Amino acid sequence: MAFKRDKKEEEDGGNPYQNLEKTSVLQEARTFNDTPVNPRKCTHILTKILYMINQGEQLGTAEATETFFAMTKLFQSRDIILRRMVYLGIKELSGIAEDVIIVTSSLTKDMTGKEDTYRAAAIRALCSITDVTMLQTIERYMKQAIVDKNPGISSAALVSCLHLCKNTSATDVVKRSLNEIQEALNSDNVMVQYHALGLLFHIRKTDRLAVTKLVAKLTKINMKSPFAVCMLIRMACKLLEEETIPRSESPLFEFVESCIRHKSETVVYEAAHAIVHLSGTGARHLAPAVSVLQLFCSSAKPTLRFAAVRTLNKVAMEHPSTVTACNLDLENLISDSNRSVATLAITTLLKTGAEASVDRLMKQIATFVNEISDEFKIVVVQAIRALCSKFPRKHTVLMNFLSGMLREEGGLEYKASIADTIIAIIEENPDAKEIGWLYLDYAFYNTCI
């Protein structure tokens, strides 16, 4: 640690940077000019500056430039933590300060040096101050970094190239590193392979034929990175949406479907999620994805349970009969300690269950509806709207529940969704007209007073 928080602050749990004043912090930055450099003190001041910027504090061009130039004096110190803080400072101030290219030689030296702890961060900082005219001077170093044996350095170079590609002119320079990027794509490191694929796709995304060839090639090999496979699934789905041939005849759909049997849970969910969200996918093609999501519903991991039930909720909107097989698993999730999971489970059951189960499900959700966020309350409202269309005779129970929600506290979007749902029920069901307007009048009266 470069500095320690005050013991009293640690006990109180307070934020030592909460009441910073820009003027006094920038005054402290003059300490950077002291000789010899005090690493601990300078790290603390740099942390304050970065905290202020990230909290939205605006620095003027003159202020940023003065601080930036003072910060360049810190390259005299070999302290690892201070040096990494300097890199972060360069990245943050590069868009505000003037003449930032003054540190190019120092960063290039660190980027090509033998100290691996500096190199990756130096690459990121250097690319943040590099424009198209300077890019050619560091092109050779970037190529070397992309194929570096250290995965952290290789990933830093690939991601930095991706950021440089935001400038169209820089993309042409990055394209000259295609051989190195292809080599990185064959890396054994999961992040390097993922970043290489991301950069390769970004370079070729405007050329449909090139993307098609890339996807066709990669779907035939066994990629080691689950993150890269997830990206490949998304690329395949983008091409699938443009295809005119039936799903059953498409090699791309066959690849996505095969990913359901992948050893990585991340890839399995990505494949199931992709199949569910593909337009024009029938119940037959949905079945394998629903089966996998059903298994995830009983997972010990809350994230998997949440992802599964949320996706099943989406499927139930258009294919409720396909999700019926999962009803028993969804029933078990009603008592889940995570209220978001429980809410989604109940709303899914409302879409797939029988008329006889409506009263029971509404009583269960009423026990914790006040504990969930507006986002999930809106999901409940949408489920009730669909349920009223499916079971018109249940309008009394459902509208009574909606009126209770309307009286509770909540945001504008949430309250508007309730009002819209009641109006929609009134329009669809003549028997609900009288009680519906009564609830709306009552809510309007309470709002006015």
Side-chain angles (χ1 to χ4, degrees):
M1 288 291 290
F3 58 91
K4 292 182 180 179
R5 288 174 58 181
D6 184 80
K7 193 173 182 181
K8 189 174 183 298
E9 284 176 345
E10 284 185 352
E11 289 171 357
D12 296 343
N15 181 353
Y17 306 109
Q18 198 164 7
N19 300 309
L20 294 176
E21 289 185 8
K22 184 175 76 170
T23 310
S24 60
V25 173
L26 295 180
Q27 188 78 21
E28 285 182 57
R30 294 181 180 177
T31 306
F32 299 163
N33 295 310
D34 292 352
T35 305
V37 172
N38 184 331
R40 181 173 175 174
K41 189 176 181 181
C42 291
T43 301
H44 192 56
I45 296 167
L46 263 175
T47 305
K48 289 181 181 180
I49 294 168
L50 292 172
Y51 178 83
M52 282 197 313
I53 294 171
N54 280 284
Q55 290 299 306
E57 186 73 58
Q58 298 293 322
L59 266 64
T61 306
E63 292 171 330
T65 305
E66 185 181 349
T67 306
F68 187 90
F69 273 79
M71 196 168 59
T72 60
K73 304 288 178 66
L74 300 179
F75 275 100
Q76 299 172 60
S77 172
R78 300 298 295 174
D79 184 85
I80 293 173
I81 294 175
L82 177 59
R83 183 64 62 90
R84 291 176 73 87
M85 290 297 289
V86 169
Y87 296 143
L88 289 174
I90 289 170
K91 285 173 68 179
E92 291 293 339
L93 295 174
S94 61
I96 316 167
E98 293 178 337
D99 301 322
V100 291
I101 58 170
I102 194 169
V103 292
T104 303
S105 59
S106 297
L107 290 172
T108 305
K109 183 182 175 183
D110 284 354
M111 172 186 170
T112 56
K114 294 180 180 179
E115 187 63 68
D116 284 351
T117 50
Y118 293 163
R119 292 178 64 198
I123 289 168
R124 288 190 284 266
L126 182 59
C127 288
S128 70
I129 65 166
T130 301
D131 57 20
V132 184
T133 55
M134 284 174 55
L135 185 56
Q136 293 183 6
T137 61
I138 63 165
E139 183 186 349
R140 179 167 60 90
Y141 303 128
M142 290 300 290
K143 284 183 177 182
Q144 290 170 356
I146 288 170
V147 293
D148 197 277
K149 290 179 181 179
N150 186 314
I153 295 166
S154 183
S155 274
L158 289 163
V159 174
S160 296
C161 285
L162 187 60
H163 289 309
L164 287 169
C165 284
K166 291 174 184 176
N167 186 319
T168 312
S169 303
T171 305
D172 295 330
V173 180
V174 174
K175 279 181 180 178
R176 297 205 288 260
S177 303
L178 273 174
N179 289 337
E180 286 76 17
I181 299 167
Q182 289 278 10
E183 189 177 333
L185 190 60
N186 299 322
S187 171
D188 291 335
N189 184 273
V190 293
M191 294 311 294
V192 173
Q193 193 175 58
Y194 169 58
H195 291 142
L197 179 58
L199 179 56
L200 211 53
F201 173 69
H202 187 84
I203 291 170
R204 297 181 176 179
K205 66 180 180 181
T206 53
D207 185 346
R208 190 182 185 282
L209 183 60
V211 173
T212 306
K213 286 180 178 179
L214 176 65
V215 173
K217 177 188 172 184
L218 295 177
T219 51
K220 292 173 185 175
I221 63 173
N222 184 22
M223 299 189 78
K224 294 183 180 180
S225 169
F227 308 116
V229 178
C230 287
M231 180 174 283
L232 191 58
I233 290 170
R234 295 185 183 188
M235 290 162 65
C237 287
K238 191 174 181 182
L239 294 173
L240 271 169
E241 293 288 5
E242 300 169 5
E243 281 189 348
T244 53
I245 60 173
R247 294 275 188 262
S248 55
E249 297 175 17
S250 172
L252 291 176
F253 187 79
E254 187 182 332
F255 161 73
V256 175
E257 203 171 41
S258 71
C259 289
I260 287 176
R261 298 179 289 278
H262 199 277
K263 61 182 179 181
S264 166
E265 289 174 337
T266 308
V267 174
V268 172
Y269 174 71
E270 185 65 39
H273 179 272
I275 291 171
V276 164
H277 286 81
L278 272 174
S279 58
T281 306
R284 184 167 66 86
H285 293 118
L286 283 171
V290 171
S291 298
V292 165
L293 294 170
Q294 185 178 3
L295 289 173
F296 283 172
C297 284
S298 55
S299 170
K301 299 175 182 176
T303 48
L304 275 180
R305 295 199 303 274
F306 176 78
V309 75
R310 188 167 194 171
T311 310
L312 286 171
N313 191 281
K314 166 77 176 174
V315 180
M317 291 180 185
E318 296 178 15
H319 304 278
S321 58
T322 310
V323 186
T324 308
C326 307
N327 280 3
L328 185 60
D329 300 274
L330 292 168
E331 289 269 5
N332 294 332
L333 290 177
I334 292 174
S335 56
D336 196 281
S337 57
N338 186 312
R339 290 311 191 194
S340 300
V341 172
T343 305
L344 287 166
I346 288 180
T347 53
T348 307
L349 283 167
L350 289 172
K351 295 168 188 173
T352 61
E355 189 172 359
S357 65
V358 172
D359 291 347
R360 175 175 59 83
L361 291 171
M362 295 311 295
K363 284 178 183 177
Q364 284 178 302
I365 200 168
T367 60
F368 61 81
V369 72
N370 291 329
E371 299 174 28
I372 58 178
S373 65
D374 280 6
E375 180 190 355
F376 289 104
K377 286 179 182 176
I378 291 170
V379 172
V380 174
V381 173
Q382 290 169 346
I384 292 172
R385 184 171 185 166
L387 207 60
C388 274
S389 301
K390 191 177 179 182
F391 306 122
R393 290 185 299 177
K394 289 291 179 183
H395 73 270
T396 308
V397 176
L398 297 171
M399 290 186 77
N400 184 46
F401 185 81
L402 287 172
S403 71
M405 293 176 82
L406 198 58
R407 288 193 294 271
E408 299 296 331
E409 290 185 7
L412 176 62
E413 189 181 356
Y414 163 56
K415 291 299 180 78
S417 70
I418 298 172
D420 290 344
T421 299
I422 293 174
I423 292 168
I425 294 169
I426 291 169
E427 291 174 349
E428 290 175 9
N429 190 347
D431 295 337
K433 189 171 287 186
E434 186 177 342
I435 192 171
W437 285 119
L438 188 67
Y439 285 142
L440 287 173
D441 286 342
Y442 181 75
F444 180 72
Y445 174 76
N446 282 342
T447 306
C448 290
I449 60 172

